[in-house]
Amino acid sequence: MTADGWAEGIFAILLFSQSVDAGRILSPEAGYVMLLLFGVAWIGLGIWWGRRATSYDGFAVAGRNVGLALGTATAVATWVTSNTTMLAPQFALQLGIWGALAYSTASFGLFAFAPLSGRIRRLMPHGYTAVEFVRRRYGRLGSIPFLIISLFYAMTWLISMAMAGGKLLNALSGIPYEVGMTVVLAVCVLYTLFGGMYAVIGTDFVQSIIILIGLVVVAIAVLLHVDIADVHQQLQDDRPMLLSILFPAALMALFNNMLFGFGEIFHSNVWWSRAFAMREGVGPKAYLLGGLLWLPVPIVAGFLGLAAPALGIGVSQPDTVGPLVAATLLGTGGALLVFVVVFCSLASSIDSLLAATSDLVVNDIAEPLAKRISGTPATDPVKRRWSLFAIIGLGVVTWCVAYPNIGTLATVLFFAGPMVGSCIWPIVGGLYFRRSSPIAACMAMVVGTSIGLVAYFMIGWFVASLVGAATSGLVFFIGMYLYPDDFDFRSLSHLPGPPLAARPEDGPIDPSERIGMVGDISSGGETR
Amino acid sequence: MMFPLWFLELIVVGGLTLCGVGAAALIVFWILDFKEKRIW
């Protein structure tokens, strides 16, 4: 077929999308074409960037030299999940202006992680995972509950994203759930497999720009059709509660969402692996800028939900209000744009989870086990091979759990709220206070998780993270007071074993580099 | 008590501007990093 023939064929498919079933904004054929185009593009880019991953350091942490542009973009893209673009309009439609603002408070986690990322990079210049830090800081007492929480959170997020992929592509274009879920997951597994962290961060850059520009285009289209004053007037007349400053459910959602975000980012290896990957000094700037660029995304997406009534768009399914607004105002072009934005939102989170969780499996499960059996640490090529098995294994497990499409599975992620909330203080304390002790960290995680889950079932999801974090903090500081430690932060910068296949540019660890570290203040402070 | 119109305008126009400026900033950062050979 000639180029013109291809163009005509694609054009016919896109035209057909205007006569699809009500509620769907694209035809299945158009959906398949977009999946194929972007799937091939991501895999191609993954292979291209993956050529740089010649060592395990390259594969797992992108050579530890990522600059500001890619560092900022990967923070934005990873934190923009399909929920951000699809659920934020629903949040606004149901909880009003506070709903959109509540969602945007998840960016505070990125702001707060900025100083932590710089300290993590300085304390552990050769580190790979968050669990490795907890193991070396608190020993097995802290690392076992932390590893369980980390794996539970990572797997539930991964499964919920895969399920969201199948459901959203089905809702947008009628592609069967099983096909959409399988394709999205397979594409992410393939390019992560070929390129590791290089592919993940590289594609994140492209995906973040597509998401931001896509949102701007759709929001401008809305503003060309309806004035903000009209939206405000319509809400005031028909749904005044959505404009209410005192909306109790929305206010509780705001604080819960904020603490859930803190817990997610502080504990998850998705964010720690990026802190290790960024060049020294880049992490704090990248996370601050990433938070600033992410903050408006739920607000702009939420405005699409608020504008729907003023635009005369009837909403039968609240979770598709964003795409419906885009397709109504921009026709086929808008529908295609939304489809691509959703695909980017899904891929940018799934690939990060695959890479970061495979790091946990290799460094915190396989390597310690192998070391115990053989007595020698794993070499660079062996860890690289384990990573490939881990990524494929995670993909297969996710596919098997997501395939039956059990609705309640997607909500299991909310259980993780109190669990990750209970990790906030052990992480902050472990990074900054020498007195933070293993018993305090362990008890904080166990008690915080337990009481938080009780609150989840007895009161509701909107207080679970809050209760988990508050209880954990109380237990942590009591434990630290009763059983203080005297930790030497300098021990974290030593390699746990002999350096294996280190890159020549890494050079030896220069003790003079540590003089300026906060953790090295000789005495008199809480940190030394 | 309701959110006034100016507040809605502020967060929508401000958010939209920040998204647009953010996308442009990422591209500018990339060009600067590329020139200095410090992308990766």
Side-chain angles (χ1 to χ4, degrees):
Chain A
M1 192 182 273
T2 64
D4 282 342
W6 276 108
E8 282 169 18
I10 291 171
F11 187 62
I13 287 168
L14 300 186
L15 272 182
F16 173 73
S17 71
Q18 291 178 326
S19 61
V20 294
D21 298 343
R24 282 176 185 150
I25 62 172
L26 277 178
S27 69
E29 289 80 357
Y32 284 124
V33 168
M34 298 305 285
L35 267 185
L36 181 70
L37 285 177
F38 280 86
V40 169
W42 299 142
I43 293 169
L45 285 169
I47 293 171
W48 185 56
W49 276 311
R51 292 178 310 167
R52 309 175 71 92
T54 51
S55 67
Y56 180 68
D57 247 22
F59 190 82
V61 285
R64 303 183 193 274
N65 205 33
V66 172
L68 184 62
L70 297 188
T72 304
T74 193
V76 175
T78 302
W79 209 214
V80 174
T81 67
S82 58
N83 277 347
T84 320
T85 47
M86 299 287 277
L87 197 61
Q90 181 186 349
F91 240 56
L93 197 62
Q94 294 172 337
L95 295 175
I97 290 181
W98 273 127
L101 292 175
Y103 214 108
S104 68
T105 58
S107 64
F108 295 2
L110 290 172
F111 293 137
F113 193 69
L116 270 65
S117 71
R119 184 156 172 82
I120 289 164
R121 184 73 173 75
R122 284 196 305 273
L123 286 177
M124 297 179 70
H126 299 276
Y128 288 108
T129 71
V131 177
E132 179 190 347
F133 163 77
V134 173
R135 187 174 62 243
R136 294 175 67 181
R137 180 65 181 81
Y138 294 127
R140 204 173 290 175
L141 203 57
S143 68
I144 289 176
F146 188 76
L147 179 61
I148 292 169
I149 289 171
S150 292
L151 285 176
F152 178 83
Y153 169 79
M155 288 312 297
T156 50
W157 190 12
L158 193 51
I159 291 162
S160 71
M161 280 289 105
M163 290 177 70
K167 286 176 178 173
L168 290 176
L169 299 189
N170 176 259
L172 295 176
S173 66
I175 292 175
Y177 166 85
E178 294 81 1
V179 176
M181 185 272 290
T182 304
V183 171
V184 169
L185 194 57
V187 165
C188 292
V189 166
L190 279 172
Y191 75 75
T192 307
L193 204 59
F194 287 124
M197 196 57 121
Y198 276 115
V200 170
I201 291 179
T203 50
D204 275 357
F205 180 77
V206 182
Q207 288 158 352
S208 64
I209 288 176
I210 289 174
I211 291 166
L212 289 172
I213 291 176
L215 263 180
V216 168
V217 169
V218 175
I220 286 176
V222 170
L223 291 176
L224 290 175
H225 282 78
V226 64
D227 199 63
I228 297 177
D230 296 336
V231 174
H232 191 270
Q233 189 61 50
Q234 179 93 18
L235 291 172
Q236 208 167 14
D237 295 342
D238 299 342
R239 303 177 180 205
M241 198 63 183
L242 298 184
L243 288 175
S244 174
I245 290 178
L246 301 171
F247 192 163
L251 284 168
M252 280 193 281
L254 186 144
F255 286 104
N256 191 73
N257 213 46
M258 185 165 65
L259 276 164
F260 197 166
F262 271 73
E264 285 182 277
I265 292 178
F266 280 24
H267 98 283
S268 174
N269 196 48
V270 164
W271 306 101
W272 280 67
S273 59
R274 279 156 177 70
F276 291 128
M278 290 179 207
R279 189 164 47 243
E280 179 132 24
V282 165
K285 293 176 203 159
Y287 277 108
L288 270 178
L289 284 167
L292 194 63
L293 299 193
W294 189 90
L295 188 145
V297 171
I299 293 174
V300 173
F303 177 64
L304 303 183
L306 289 175
L311 288 161
I313 296 171
V315 180
S316 56
Q317 289 177 291
D319 59 349
T320 57
V321 61
L324 203 57
V325 168
T328 305
L329 298 183
L330 290 168
T332 303
L336 290 171
L337 187 61
V338 167
F339 190 92
V340 173
V341 166
V342 169
F343 190 14
C344 288
S345 307
L346 288 162
S348 62
S349 301
I350 292 174
D351 62 5
S352 301
L353 277 161
L354 287 168
T357 312
S358 73
D359 289 349
L360 286 184
V361 172
V362 169
N363 290 285
D364 302 305
I365 298 174
E367 191 176 34
L369 280 175
K371 198 173 175 181
R372 187 176 295 180
I373 294 165
S374 68
T376 55
T379 59
D380 221 45
V382 168
K383 287 173 76 171
R384 175 74 190 261
R385 198 161 52 243
W386 286 349
S387 289
L388 303 184
F389 288 128
I391 290 166
I392 293 170
L394 288 167
V396 169
V397 169
T398 301
W399 185 85
C400 289
V401 178
Y403 190 84
N405 192 12
I406 301 165
T408 50
L409 268 178
T411 60
V412 171
L413 181 61
F414 291 125
F415 287 180
M419 298 169 85
V420 301
S422 72
C423 293
I424 295 174
W425 289 109
I427 287 292
V428 174
L431 280 169
Y432 287 98
F433 306 142
R434 63 183 169 82
R435 292 161 63 97
S436 304
S437 58
I439 187 79
C442 178
M443 291 305 291
M445 286 186 268
V446 172
V447 175
T449 293
S450 307
I451 303 290
L453 284 173
V454 168
Y456 180 98
F457 290 108
M458 300 285 282
I459 305 170
W461 64 270
F462 46 83
V463 295
S465 299
L466 191 63
V467 170
T471 310
S472 160
L474 189 66
V475 171
F476 182 72
F477 284 106
I478 291 172
M480 203 166 82
Y481 179 75
L482 295 176
Y483 304 98
D485 198 1
D486 189 16
F487 188 74
D488 183 356
F489 284 106
R490 287 172 298 187
S491 65
L492 289 171
S493 64
H494 305 151
L495 284 165
L500 294 160
R503 300 177 312 152
E505 61 266 34
D506 280 347
I509 300 168
D510 180 359
S512 65
E513 282 179 0
R514 296 201 301 267
I515 285 173
M517 284 167 43
V518 181
D520 282 349
I521 298 167
S522 56
S523 62
E526 187 56 39
T527 56
R528 62 171 194 178
Chain B
M1 250 168 82
M2 290 190 179
F3 280 108
L5 173 60
W6 65 262
F7 183 79
L8 185 59
E9 287 177 331
L10 176 74
I11 62 170
V12 172
V13 175
L16 195 55
T17 307
L18 202 48
C19 279
V21 170
L26 286 178
I27 294 166
V28 169
F29 289 160
W30 190 88
I31 292 167
L32 291 174
D33 278 354
F34 183 76
K35 279 185 174 175
E36 300 281 332
K37 295 187 189 305
R38 58 182 187 189
I39 285 179
W40 293 106

